[in-house]
Amino acid sequence: MKSPDKASVGRANALLLDAALESIPYGFCVWSPEFRLVMWNRHYLDIYGFPSKRVRKGMTLEAVVRLSAELGNHPDQSPEDFLFAYRQELLNNRGGARAKVRELVQGGRTLETAHVYSPGLGWVVTHEDVTEEIASSEIIQKRKRELERQNIRLDAAVNNISQGLCMYDPKGRLVICNQPYQRIYKLPEQLLRPGTLLDDILAYLFEHGMRASGNSEEYIRWRREVIARGEYGKNIHELDGRIIMMQHHPMKDGGWVTTHEDITEQRQQEDRIRHLARHDALTQLPNRLLFLEEMVAAEPGLERGEHVAVLCIDLDHFKAVNDTLGHALGDRVLQQASARLWGTTRENDVLARLGGDEFALLLRGVDSPAAAAAIAERIVKSIGAPFAIDGHQVAIGASVGIAMSPQDGTTTDALMKNADLALYKAKNEGRSTFHFFEPGMDAAIQKRRTIEAGLRLALARQELRLVYQPLIGLKENRVTCLEALLRWEPSGRGGVVSPTEFIPVAEETGLIVSIGEWVLREACRTAAQWPDDVRVAVNLSPVQFKNKRLYETVEAALRDTGLTPTRLELEITESLLLADNEPTLRTLHRLRALGVRISMDDFGTGYSSLSYLRSFPFDKIKIDRSFMRDLKAKGDSMAIIKAVIGLGHSLGMSTTAEGIETEEQLAAVREQGCNEVQGFLFSPPIPASGVAELLNAQYREPALHRRAG
């Protein structure tokens, strides 16, 4: 068979190009560097209303402008002005970039004209009626997408796109390709010539390392099927370590256009985004999302009887690091703590940062609680060692809660929930320790959360009230002071919640600050109505001393209620002086200078009571009720009571014995010279309404002659 001559090939290419141009849904023309019309399509004539017989090849730009003006186009400009402006636009755009401008034509329509300069060819210009698109943003977006798809085909002819592009005829012969296509695949010149078969190009690429999903035969079979069906197709393959996306676009005549894009950086960026979505940016550990995915992936194994352990880990005292040394140093601590935690794990374990100072660890293949305990112990020990950062010795700790499958659950939710409950137990046991989940923890936690939720509303609902228990002066033989005690009666629950249950919750949550201020004001307001020789005692929590405005709060309560400062006693416990000693002592000295009396409550139950008596001149020592209770059972209790009372006298401090319930106890402390007594022998705590009657009654019958019925 005789091969087609160059003229035939040229005519065939011309026909293909004409067909492509006529299929473009907007006006298209080419102006030579001398401003003469080289080619155009039917849409170009229609959009300006040009009669086909009046437009010819080689026609000057000036002649076309005058014809356009004659037909009513560009009514806002004279033909001369439009010609001058248009010529300048073309001359100023010879750098290969695409420039756009809008024109007003007959009928009030708006055209968008885009032109790009191609050396040796001239200006390739497209004309699109965008009147309706201007009125509708939705149509604008739709037409722009269509315009982009059409521009890819047009730019293939003028070599003006960054993607690799090539066009094949229905027989699979290359019609045209651009330089980016050659650069992407590093094809030799002989394979870029028109007429080269697609099969020859693919054979070369596979021989030089191109890899696609499946083998080369499967890929070629897929390409042929897509071509035969005349459908859009997409494939991603690799060459020289780069990732290339090929898109197949069928044409109506049976040929097709393919685009080729190097998406290596895009895939790398997607991988980074996927990594960031599932990893903590600060520590690079898996985050909560990835950890839960790993947990869910382990569930089928749990159903088959495989063993795992889940450890919830919380850094103790980390908030204090942020508050005192700043968040930047706190981040450094988190990074180093993460490294230490990772060092305690095994190869197939999953360590994650859930957020803040919370971490979680999934231990696979753990057959016994002892194995999980060993790892938890390593964690506690590792985190407990001081961190040396920027000249600071940072001391924190780690509390760990452990849940094991199958005994503590076989689902992600159950294991995470139970490990968290065990963590809460570990923190309540003094921190820097670990604890396994135990049945019943859930109920205890739910009860605590119920108490917390109720306390947050207690003040607003007026559910709190004060009762007062009198202190009897043994020398005065009367009530000299009443201690304000807090009670809570939640509405809708029935009964009273014990202070031993809700006070610790209030302290842990910080609610004790606002509740304590209410107690102080209410006690001062009530005491202001009593005789001037009767004081009121109010207990202060160590948490309240963390409030830097405690002094101002006490001063305001006294001022607003009119209570004389000397009639207020503030009771503190030894635990207050265990930490932050200097700031606490400064506050205590300021309060005492105001005239307020300071008492040490529960004396003898702390770590170093005597040292605290040396550090601050207390006005009163209250002997803990446990010594009264053990007065008969333990012989040394009387010796301790005697020593404390004697110590108080020598230091100029009065003494109060708590928990007096029998005549024998009263006689014992009276004999040793105790100043005050308090207990059910004289009176239980009574409401504020009963205090006036109690005080009036003592003038009729001395307090020590009257006993609680």
Side-chain angles (χ1 to χ4, degrees):
M1 183 176 179
K2 191 176 180 179
S3 300
D5 56 20
K6 292 184 177 179
S8 298
V9 174
R11 285 193 297 274
N13 290 343
L15 288 174
L16 284 171
L17 183 58
D18 288 343
L21 295 179
E22 290 302 324
S23 69
I24 297 174
Y26 47 77
F28 168 84
C29 66
V30 177
W31 293 99
S32 71
E34 294 78 25
F35 300 106
R36 289 187 177 275
L37 190 59
V38 176
M39 64 176 71
W40 63 93
N41 67 355
R42 179 177 53 81
H43 290 292
Y44 173 69
L45 302 178
D46 294 343
I47 206 165
Y48 285 102
F50 293 154
S52 59
K53 293 181 179 180
R54 297 190 63 179
V55 178
R56 63 187 182 279
K57 188 174 182 179
M59 194 172 181
T60 65
L61 177 61
E62 181 179 1
V64 172
V65 169
R66 292 194 179 279
L67 173 61
S68 183
E70 178 185 328
L71 295 172
N73 294 317
H74 316 118
D76 55 337
Q77 290 178 287
S78 67
E80 292 78 12
D81 290 343
F82 181 82
L83 176 62
F84 176 79
Y86 193 62
R87 191 191 302 269
Q88 287 301 118
E89 287 175 12
L90 295 178
L91 290 173
N92 291 336
N93 183 34
R94 289 183 291 185
R98 180 179 296 278
K100 293 183 180 181
V101 68
R102 287 184 175 174
E103 304 174 7
L104 185 65
V105 297
Q106 59 174 328
R109 293 177 296 115
T110 300
L111 303 183
E112 185 173 84
T113 300
H115 50 81
V116 63
Y117 184 77
S118 179
L121 180 61
W123 289 276
V124 178
V125 188
T126 59
H127 308 263
E128 183 182 13
D129 190 332
V130 295
T131 306
E132 294 182 359
E133 293 183 9
I134 293 175
S136 172
S137 60
E138 183 176 351
I139 295 177
I140 289 175
Q141 295 301 320
K142 182 178 179 181
R143 294 298 300 275
K144 280 186 175 181
R145 288 193 295 269
E146 179 63 24
L147 179 61
E148 287 297 327
R149 286 193 292 269
Q150 297 296 343
N151 277 341
I152 289 176
R153 300 174 186 176
L154 175 61
D155 289 345
V158 295
N159 203 36
N160 192 42
I161 61 172
S162 60
Q163 292 178 328
L165 183 144
C166 54
M167 181 185 293
Y168 290 87
D169 66 15
K171 294 184 178 181
R173 296 174 300 190
L174 183 65
V175 176
I176 189 173
C177 66
N178 65 357
Q179 292 179 0
Y181 176 74
Q182 179 185 12
R183 287 196 300 269
I184 287 173
Y185 292 107
K186 300 178 182 178
L187 292 170
E189 288 294 333
Q190 64 268 24
L191 291 179
L192 300 173
R193 294 169 185 163
T196 302
L197 293 174
L198 171 63
D199 287 350
D200 294 338
I201 294 175
L202 292 178
Y204 175 87
L205 291 175
F206 278 110
E207 287 175 4
H208 288 78
M210 189 176 88
R211 292 183 293 110
S213 57
N215 53 38
S216 59
E217 290 79 9
E218 292 174 347
Y219 176 80
I220 292 172
R221 189 183 311 118
W222 171 79
R223 286 293 299 270
R224 287 173 177 168
E225 290 174 356
V226 170
I227 293 168
R229 291 195 301 266
E231 296 177 350
Y232 167 82
K234 181 170 66 173
N235 182 270
I236 294 175
H237 46 262
E238 294 184 21
L239 180 65
D240 295 336
R242 290 172 295 114
I243 304 172
I244 301 164
M245 180 174 67
M246 184 281 296
Q247 298 187 71
H248 174 96
H249 304 271
M251 295 194 300
K252 291 182 179 180
D253 65 353
W256 64 89
V257 173
T258 59
T259 58
H260 306 259
E261 184 179 3
D262 187 334
I263 60 171
T264 306
E265 291 187 3
Q266 176 185 330
R267 282 299 178 91
Q268 291 172 346
Q269 183 66 17
E270 290 172 356
D271 290 342
R272 284 194 291 270
I273 291 172
R274 280 193 292 270
H275 178 84
L276 290 174
R278 286 169 169 76
H279 288 79
D280 173 54
L282 179 65
T283 64
Q284 297 305 308
L285 291 175
N287 61 12
R288 181 184 294 272
L289 174 62
L290 181 53
F291 185 79
L292 294 179
E293 288 177 349
E294 292 283 351
M295 288 281 295
V296 171
E299 286 185 0
L302 302 184
E303 295 174 359
R304 294 191 300 267
E306 295 179 7
H307 296 270
V308 301
V310 176
L311 279 63
C312 284
I313 307 162
D314 200 44
L315 301 184
D316 302 326
H317 314 300
F318 177 74
K319 183 178 183 300
V321 175
N322 274 340
D323 292 344
T324 57
L325 300 178
H327 289 273
L329 193 137
D331 287 347
R332 298 274 301 281
V333 171
L334 284 173
Q335 290 172 329
Q336 291 194 20
S338 300
R340 292 189 186 182
L341 289 173
W342 185 83
T344 66
T345 64
R346 306 165 305 169
E347 185 176 358
N348 63 337
D349 297 336
V350 180
L351 173 67
R353 182 188 177 204
L354 304 184
D357 58 0
E358 300 176 19
F359 296 81
L361 178 59
L362 172 62
L363 303 178
R364 295 188 175 99
V366 178
D367 295 328
S368 67
I375 294 176
E377 192 169 357
R378 288 205 303 267
I379 290 172
V380 172
K381 184 177 180 180
S382 175
I383 299 300
F387 293 81
I389 302 176
D390 294 341
H392 297 280
Q393 288 290 318
V394 180
I396 60 173
S399 297
V400 183
I402 308 171
M404 300 192 65
S405 70
Q407 59 264 42
D408 300 331
T410 56
T411 65
T412 297
D413 291 343
L415 288 170
M416 288 295 293
K417 174 186 175 183
N418 291 338
D420 191 52
L421 292 173
L423 170 63
Y424 181 80
K425 180 70 172 178
K427 294 179 76 70
N428 276 355
E429 288 186 351
R431 305 174 186 265
S432 293
T433 187
F434 64 89
H435 204 288
F436 283 90
F437 171 77
E438 297 172 355
M441 281 184 175
D442 193 16
I445 297 300
Q446 289 300 327
K447 181 178 181 181
R448 182 201 177 281
R449 288 173 178 166
T450 300
I451 291 175
E452 179 182 343
L455 274 179
R456 293 188 182 279
L457 301 172
L459 278 176
R461 292 177 174 176
Q462 298 182 338
E463 296 173 348
L464 300 178
R465 64 183 180 89
L466 294 182
V467 293
Y468 300 87
Q469 186 172 31
L471 282 71
I472 311 301
L474 295 180
K475 179 180 179 182
E476 295 86 350
N477 198 22
R478 64 174 177 81
V479 175
T480 53
C481 181
L482 290 105
E483 181 180 1
L485 301 171
L486 182 60
R487 296 292 183 265
W488 177 29
E489 298 179 3
S491 57
R493 287 186 58 182
V496 178
V497 181
S498 170
T500 59
E501 291 183 336
F502 74 80
I503 292 296
V505 175
E507 290 181 327
E508 290 173 19
T509 59
L511 292 171
I512 194 66
V513 174
S514 56
I515 292 175
E517 182 174 352
W518 177 85
V519 169
L520 180 65
R521 285 183 168 274
E522 182 67 12
C524 290
R525 184 190 64 80
T526 302
Q529 305 170 31
W530 301 341
D532 292 341
D533 58 355
V534 179
R535 303 182 305 275
V536 65
V538 177
N539 293 278
L540 290 184
S541 164
V543 178
Q544 290 176 265
F545 276 81
K546 295 180 180 179
N547 179 8
K548 296 181 180 180
R549 295 189 54 81
L550 176 61
Y551 173 83
E552 287 75 13
T553 299
V554 174
E555 186 182 40
L558 293 170
R559 181 181 63 251
D560 296 344
T561 60
L563 184 70
T564 304
T566 54
R567 294 182 58 203
L568 174 64
E569 287 186 5
L570 297 179
E571 297 187 4
I572 67 172
T573 60
E574 298 172 47
S575 61
L576 172 64
L577 300 175
L578 286 174
D580 295 330
N581 198 28
E582 288 303 319
T584 298
L585 288 176
R586 284 196 297 271
T587 301
L588 290 174
H589 280 291
R590 291 184 68 194
L591 290 171
R592 197 163 187 268
L594 185 64
V596 175
R597 292 167 58 87
I598 307 297
S599 301
M600 177 177 281
D601 198 11
D602 302 333
F603 184 81
T605 60
Y607 294 96
S608 51
S609 304
L610 296 179
S611 65
Y612 298 143
L613 294 182
R614 294 179 57 193
S615 64
F616 183 80
F618 290 92
D619 295 284
K620 179 191 292 186
I621 302 171
K622 297 190 74 175
I623 304 170
D624 187 69
R625 67 182 64 250
S626 61
F627 294 108
M628 297 297 114
R629 189 168 52 246
D630 297 337
L631 198 59
K632 282 187 175 181
K634 296 182 179 180
D636 57 356
S637 291
M638 190 65 245
I640 293 174
I641 292 172
K642 180 178 180 180
V644 171
I645 294 174
L647 179 65
H649 289 167
S650 63
L651 294 176
M653 303 175 187
S654 65
T655 54
T656 298
E658 298 178 308
I660 301 298
E661 298 180 359
T662 66
E663 294 287 352
E664 181 183 8
Q665 293 171 340
L666 173 61
V669 296
R670 184 199 293 272
E671 182 180 353
Q672 299 303 324
C674 187
N675 300 100
E676 285 179 328
V677 289
Q678 177 183 10
F680 279 80
L681 180 64
F682 307 102
S683 173
I686 58 176
S689 58
V691 173
E693 181 181 351
L694 174 71
L695 295 178
N696 290 333
Q698 74 178 356
Y699 294 108
R700 297 191 299 270
E701 182 181 1
L704 292 179
H705 295 165
R706 183 172 25 87
R707 301 289 187 267

